Amino acid sequence: MPVPALLPDLLSAQASAADPNLELALRVLPALAVILLTAALCGRLATLVMQPRVVGEMVAGVLLGPTLLGAVFPDAQAALFPTQVRPVLYVLSTLGLTLYMFLVGAGMDHDARAPGELRKASVLAASGIISPLVLGGAAGLVLWERLSRPDVGRLEFALFLGGALSLTAFPMLARILYERGLQNTRVGRIALLSASIDDAVAWCLLAALSAVHLGGGTGDTLRTIALAGVFAAVMLGVVAPLLRPLGRRVARTGHLGAGAVYVVVLVPIVAGWITDAIGVYSVFGGFVAGLAMPRQPAFRAALHGRMMDLVSTLLLPVFFAFSGLNTHLGGITGGFALLAFALILVLAFSGKYFGCSLATRALGFGWRESWAMGAMMNARGLMILIFINIGLAQGMITQELFAMLVLVAVLTTAGALPLYKLALPERLEPADAEGAQKPAPVGAATGETGFI
């Protein structure tokens, strides 16, 4: 056995006689160190080739899985990620996802400032949902017999695949717009508003699919959906007004005090626990908790300033690594698997890119702005990884389809910024947002070109 693989075993063996908790710690901490170092290195390499840092971090997770580390150094991978470590990584990744989706929800700006803006954003959002949902659903109907689990119905499988392809990485889109000062332009406001509608619909679809899959019967399914609806209504109708004084206080002082931090951490954790208990996964609770947060720009900036660094630097790389441990790219071999992956990738790209581009053009924008919009809306990033990890954890998809969709996430995210720059070079970008105040977008604290 190689020395790197032997060292954790020696340390844990010495500790186990004294304290089994110390043994677990001595196994978890090296795994975390390797995850963070790999994520930092791959993220840096991604930025050097003009890609968002998230692309490198997504690749880092895959490299730590069976595709590379497990294939080349199986003993080292087994020593770094033994069976007893993986539940800890799962808990940390779930906590990270819940808090990250909380920050995504808190960062969404639902205000339409110009007449007709909400209508245009709704049209764009509908095109970004319907086209990939229909194309992905059609592919799901065709591929169901070969790629689905035996206990998943054809319609459920088709809706899951279509829903996964309909996602847009809202914070990545926001980051591109904020970096270029376009968040207050006509195209920027409509893009942000439509992406928030797009993702909210996709998460509601996933909540419904989870309820159907785990419900065990029509009555249980309807009960779960009803409880999720009651939960959302209580959060937005009762909890949100109770939090408004907190938002006003933070807006006056410009920072979150210790008491306020306890509140904004406890709310998404409790919300995630409640939604887990009713059967619709904790990230849905975190997302709705974020929507219930005060909407003042100063509050949102202070919230992201206090929480985003920790969540994105420590917890999300753990999620990428946990996803990578479940990604077996070696399984995408043979004629049928490669054709199925190519079909899903083409439909994922074309559904979003052409659907959103043509809809934007129909709304009166120029062709360059339209193609740029299609490029931004086509990025899926972390959002699709969250979506498919929930599907894998709940037994809605197979390892093979999971690996295909991980590659779809990486490739569509990697293509977003180059396609945007090709369609709308900096010299041609609208300049009507100059001098506008720029509140920190989701992911701003991490320095990415777009975190998800």
Side-chain angles (χ1 to χ4, degrees), residues 94-113:
T94 300
L95 178 62
L97 293 183
T98 301
L99 292 178
Y100 192 77
M101 289 305 298
F102 165 71
L103 294 173
V104 170
M108 286 187 172
D109 187 355
H110 309 285
D111 297 329
R113 304 179 185 178

PDB file of all heavy atoms in Angstrom, residues 94-113:
ATOM      1  N   THR A  94     -24.960  18.758   2.250  1.00  0.00           N
ATOM      2  CA  THR A  94     -26.370  19.129   2.381  1.00  0.00           C
ATOM      3  C   THR A  94     -26.516  20.466   3.091  1.00  0.00           C
ATOM      4  O   THR A  94     -27.324  21.315   2.690  1.00  0.00           O
ATOM      5  CB  THR A  94     -27.142  18.038   3.150  1.00  0.00           C
ATOM      6  OG1 THR A  94     -27.057  16.803   2.436  1.00  0.00           O
ATOM      7  CG2 THR A  94     -28.608  18.418   3.318  1.00  0.00           C
ATOM      8  N   LEU A  95     -25.734  20.669   4.145  1.00  0.00           N
ATOM      9  CA  LEU A  95     -25.752  21.961   4.840  1.00  0.00           C
ATOM     10  C   LEU A  95     -25.313  23.075   3.897  1.00  0.00           C
ATOM     11  O   LEU A  95     -25.932  24.152   3.849  1.00  0.00           O
ATOM     12  CB  LEU A  95     -24.825  21.903   6.057  1.00  0.00           C
ATOM     13  CG  LEU A  95     -24.681  23.194   6.866  1.00  0.00           C
ATOM     14  CD1 LEU A  95     -26.027  23.602   7.462  1.00  0.00           C
ATOM     15  CD2 LEU A  95     -23.641  23.018   7.968  1.00  0.00           C
ATOM     16  N   GLY A  96     -24.260  22.826   3.121  1.00  0.00           N
ATOM     17  CA  GLY A  96     -23.792  23.836   2.178  1.00  0.00           C
ATOM     18  C   GLY A  96     -24.825  24.168   1.125  1.00  0.00           C
ATOM     19  O   GLY A  96     -25.035  25.339   0.794  1.00  0.00           O
ATOM     20  N   LEU A  97     -25.499  23.142   0.583  1.00  0.00           N
ATOM     21  CA  LEU A  97     -26.521  23.380  -0.433  1.00  0.00           C
ATOM     22  C   LEU A  97     -27.689  24.164   0.142  1.00  0.00           C
ATOM     23  O   LEU A  97     -28.230  25.073  -0.501  1.00  0.00           O
ATOM     24  CB  LEU A  97     -27.022  22.055  -0.998  1.00  0.00           C
ATOM     25  CG  LEU A  97     -26.027  21.235  -1.810  1.00  0.00           C
ATOM     26  CD1 LEU A  97     -26.705  19.988  -2.355  1.00  0.00           C
ATOM     27  CD2 LEU A  97     -25.450  22.055  -2.942  1.00  0.00           C
ATOM     28  N   THR A  98     -28.116  23.800   1.353  1.00  0.00           N
ATOM     29  CA  THR A  98     -29.247  24.495   1.975  1.00  0.00           C
ATOM     30  C   THR A  98     -28.921  25.970   2.185  1.00  0.00           C
ATOM     31  O   THR A  98     -29.728  26.859   1.863  1.00  0.00           O
ATOM     32  CB  THR A  98     -29.596  23.834   3.312  1.00  0.00           C
ATOM     33  OG1 THR A  98     -29.917  22.455   3.092  1.00  0.00           O
ATOM     34  CG2 THR A  98     -30.786  24.516   3.968  1.00  0.00           C
ATOM     35  N   LEU A  99     -27.729  26.255   2.710  1.00  0.00           N
ATOM     36  CA  LEU A  99     -27.354  27.647   2.938  1.00  0.00           C
ATOM     37  C   LEU A  99     -27.104  28.383   1.625  1.00  0.00           C
ATOM     38  O   LEU A  99     -27.417  29.580   1.505  1.00  0.00           O
ATOM     39  CB  LEU A  99     -26.098  27.705   3.810  1.00  0.00           C
ATOM     40  CG  LEU A  99     -26.282  27.227   5.259  1.00  0.00           C
ATOM     41  CD1 LEU A  99     -24.953  27.276   6.011  1.00  0.00           C
ATOM     42  CD2 LEU A  99     -27.335  28.063   5.992  1.00  0.00           C
ATOM     43  N   TYR A 100     -26.565  27.679   0.628  1.00  0.00           N
ATOM     44  CA  TYR A 100     -26.325  28.344  -0.656  1.00  0.00           C
ATOM     45  C   TYR A 100     -27.631  28.686  -1.348  1.00  0.00           C
ATOM     46  O   TYR A 100     -27.800  29.794  -1.882  1.00  0.00           O
ATOM     47  CB  TYR A 100     -25.456  27.480  -1.566  1.00  0.00           C
ATOM     48  CG  TYR A 100     -24.972  28.265  -2.761  1.00  0.00           C
ATOM     49  CD1 TYR A 100     -23.927  29.168  -2.627  1.00  0.00           C
ATOM     50  CD2 TYR A 100     -25.584  28.143  -3.997  1.00  0.00           C
ATOM     51  CE1 TYR A 100     -23.495  29.922  -3.703  1.00  0.00           C
ATOM     52  CE2 TYR A 100     -25.147  28.887  -5.078  1.00  0.00           C
ATOM     53  CZ  TYR A 100     -24.109  29.769  -4.926  1.00  0.00           C
ATOM     54  OH  TYR A 100     -23.696  30.520  -5.989  1.00  0.00           O
ATOM     55  N   MET A 101     -28.576  27.755  -1.348  1.00  0.00           N
ATOM     56  CA  MET A 101     -29.868  28.053  -1.956  1.00  0.00           C
ATOM     57  C   MET A 101     -30.591  29.137  -1.168  1.00  0.00           C
ATOM     58  O   MET A 101     -31.357  29.921  -1.735  1.00  0.00           O
ATOM     59  CB  MET A 101     -30.718  26.786  -2.037  1.00  0.00           C
ATOM     60  CG  MET A 101     -30.218  25.785  -3.069  1.00  0.00           C
ATOM     61  SD  MET A 101     -30.057  26.479  -4.736  1.00  0.00           S
ATOM     62  CE  MET A 101     -31.758  26.921  -5.074  1.00  0.00           C
ATOM     63  N   PHE A 102     -30.349  29.213   0.133  1.00  0.00           N
ATOM     64  CA  PHE A 102     -30.866  30.315   0.932  1.00  0.00           C
ATOM     65  C   PHE A 102     -30.305  31.642   0.427  1.00  0.00           C
ATOM     66  O   PHE A 102     -31.053  32.623   0.239  1.00  0.00           O
ATOM     67  CB  PHE A 102     -30.487  30.082   2.394  1.00  0.00           C
ATOM     68  CG  PHE A 102     -30.630  31.293   3.279  1.00  0.00           C
ATOM     69  CD1 PHE A 102     -31.874  31.780   3.620  1.00  0.00           C
ATOM     70  CD2 PHE A 102     -29.507  31.930   3.775  1.00  0.00           C
ATOM     71  CE1 PHE A 102     -32.005  32.899   4.437  1.00  0.00           C
ATOM     72  CE2 PHE A 102     -29.615  33.041   4.589  1.00  0.00           C
ATOM     73  CZ  PHE A 102     -30.872  33.531   4.925  1.00  0.00           C
ATOM     74  N   LEU A 103     -29.000  31.688   0.162  1.00  0.00           N
ATOM     75  CA  LEU A 103     -28.387  32.916  -0.347  1.00  0.00           C
ATOM     76  C   LEU A 103     -28.867  33.245  -1.754  1.00  0.00           C
ATOM     77  O   LEU A 103     -29.020  34.416  -2.109  1.00  0.00           O
ATOM     78  CB  LEU A 103     -26.869  32.790  -0.320  1.00  0.00           C
ATOM     79  CG  LEU A 103     -26.244  32.692   1.078  1.00  0.00           C
ATOM     80  CD1 LEU A 103     -24.755  32.394   0.974  1.00  0.00           C
ATOM     81  CD2 LEU A 103     -26.478  33.967   1.868  1.00  0.00           C
ATOM     82  N   VAL A 104     -29.111  32.211  -2.565  1.00  0.00           N
ATOM     83  CA  VAL A 104     -29.665  32.446  -3.901  1.00  0.00           C
ATOM     84  C   VAL A 104     -31.048  33.088  -3.785  1.00  0.00           C
ATOM     85  O   VAL A 104     -31.356  34.082  -4.452  1.00  0.00           O
ATOM     86  CB  VAL A 104     -29.744  31.133  -4.692  1.00  0.00           C
ATOM     87  CG1 VAL A 104     -30.547  31.323  -5.985  1.00  0.00           C
ATOM     88  CG2 VAL A 104     -28.345  30.639  -5.036  1.00  0.00           C
ATOM     89  N   GLY A 105     -31.905  32.516  -2.946  1.00  0.00           N
ATOM     90  CA  GLY A 105     -33.244  33.076  -2.764  1.00  0.00           C
ATOM     91  C   GLY A 105     -33.200  34.487  -2.207  1.00  0.00           C
ATOM     92  O   GLY A 105     -33.936  35.371  -2.648  1.00  0.00           O
ATOM     93  N   ALA A 106     -32.300  34.723  -1.242  1.00  0.00           N
ATOM     94  CA  ALA A 106     -32.189  36.060  -0.656  1.00  0.00           C
ATOM     95  C   ALA A 106     -31.651  37.069  -1.653  1.00  0.00           C
ATOM     96  O   ALA A 106     -31.944  38.267  -1.558  1.00  0.00           O
ATOM     97  CB  ALA A 106     -31.283  36.011   0.569  1.00  0.00           C
ATOM     98  N   GLY A 107     -30.869  36.613  -2.631  1.00  0.00           N
ATOM     99  CA  GLY A 107     -30.274  37.526  -3.601  1.00  0.00           C
ATOM    100  C   GLY A 107     -31.145  37.840  -4.787  1.00  0.00           C
ATOM    101  O   GLY A 107     -30.801  38.696  -5.598  1.00  0.00           O
ATOM    102  N   MET A 108     -32.278  37.166  -4.923  1.00  0.00           N
ATOM    103  CA  MET A 108     -33.145  37.405  -6.075  1.00  0.00           C
ATOM    104  C   MET A 108     -33.887  38.724  -5.922  1.00  0.00           C
ATOM    105  O   MET A 108     -34.444  39.029  -4.873  1.00  0.00           O
ATOM    106  CB  MET A 108     -34.156  36.266  -6.234  1.00  0.00           C
ATOM    107  CG  MET A 108     -33.544  35.000  -6.776  1.00  0.00           C
ATOM    108  SD  MET A 108     -34.790  33.753  -7.131  1.00  0.00           S
ATOM    109  CE  MET A 108     -33.793  32.522  -7.949  1.00  0.00           C
ATOM    110  N   ASP A 109     -33.892  39.490  -7.010  1.00  0.00           N
ATOM    111  CA  ASP A 109     -34.605  40.767  -7.053  1.00  0.00           C
ATOM    112  C   ASP A 109     -35.805  40.600  -7.973  1.00  0.00           C
ATOM    113  O   ASP A 109     -35.659  40.406  -9.174  1.00  0.00           O
ATOM    114  CB  ASP A 109     -33.680  41.865  -7.574  1.00  0.00           C
ATOM    115  CG  ASP A 109     -34.317  43.246  -7.471  1.00  0.00           C
ATOM    116  OD1 ASP A 109     -35.503  43.322  -7.088  1.00  0.00           O
ATOM    117  OD2 ASP A 109     -33.631  44.229  -7.777  1.00  0.00           O
ATOM    118  N   HIS A 110     -36.996  40.656  -7.392  1.00  0.00           N
ATOM    119  CA  HIS A 110     -38.208  40.393  -8.169  1.00  0.00           C
ATOM    120  C   HIS A 110     -38.867  41.674  -8.694  1.00  0.00           C
ATOM    121  O   HIS A 110     -39.950  41.619  -9.266  1.00  0.00           O
ATOM    122  CB  HIS A 110     -39.228  39.639  -7.312  1.00  0.00           C
ATOM    123  CG  HIS A 110     -38.647  38.440  -6.650  1.00  0.00           C
ATOM    124  ND1 HIS A 110     -38.370  37.283  -7.325  1.00  0.00           N
ATOM    125  CD2 HIS A 110     -38.259  38.239  -5.375  1.00  0.00           C
ATOM    126  CE1 HIS A 110     -37.854  36.391  -6.494  1.00  0.00           C
ATOM    127  NE2 HIS A 110     -37.765  36.950  -5.314  1.00  0.00           N
ATOM    128  N   ASP A 111     -38.238  42.809  -8.470  1.00  0.00           N
ATOM    129  CA  ASP A 111     -38.883  44.069  -8.842  1.00  0.00           C
ATOM    130  C   ASP A 111     -38.736  44.351 -10.336  1.00  0.00           C
ATOM    131  O   ASP A 111     -37.634  44.309 -10.884  1.00  0.00           O
ATOM    132  CB  ASP A 111     -38.263  45.238  -8.067  1.00  0.00           C
ATOM    133  CG  ASP A 111     -38.481  45.086  -6.571  1.00  0.00           C
ATOM    134  OD1 ASP A 111     -39.512  44.503  -6.207  1.00  0.00           O
ATOM    135  OD2 ASP A 111     -37.617  45.541  -5.800  1.00  0.00           O
ATOM    136  N   ALA A 112     -39.860  44.648 -10.985  1.00  0.00           N
ATOM    137  CA  ALA A 112     -39.853  45.106 -12.375  1.00  0.00           C
ATOM    138  C   ALA A 112     -39.986  46.618 -12.366  1.00  0.00           C
ATOM    139  O   ALA A 112     -40.954  47.147 -11.853  1.00  0.00           O
ATOM    140  CB  ALA A 112     -40.998  44.470 -13.148  1.00  0.00           C
ATOM    141  N   ARG A 113     -39.014  47.321 -12.934  1.00  0.00           N
ATOM    142  CA  ARG A 113     -38.970  48.772 -12.782  1.00  0.00           C
ATOM    143  C   ARG A 113     -39.609  49.515 -13.934  1.00  0.00           C
ATOM    144  O   ARG A 113     -39.907  50.687 -13.814  1.00  0.00           O
ATOM    145  CB  ARG A 113     -37.508  49.217 -12.636  1.00  0.00           C
ATOM    146  CG  ARG A 113     -36.792  48.530 -11.477  1.00  0.00           C
ATOM    147  CD  ARG A 113     -35.344  48.972 -11.379  1.00  0.00           C
ATOM    148  NE  ARG A 113     -34.640  48.236 -10.340  1.00  0.00           N
ATOM    149  CZ  ARG A 113     -33.353  48.387 -10.064  1.00  0.00           C
ATOM    150  NH1 ARG A 113     -32.629  49.236 -10.753  1.00  0.00           N
ATOM    151  NH2 ARG A 113     -32.785  47.687  -9.107  1.00  0.00           N
TER     152      ARG A 113
END
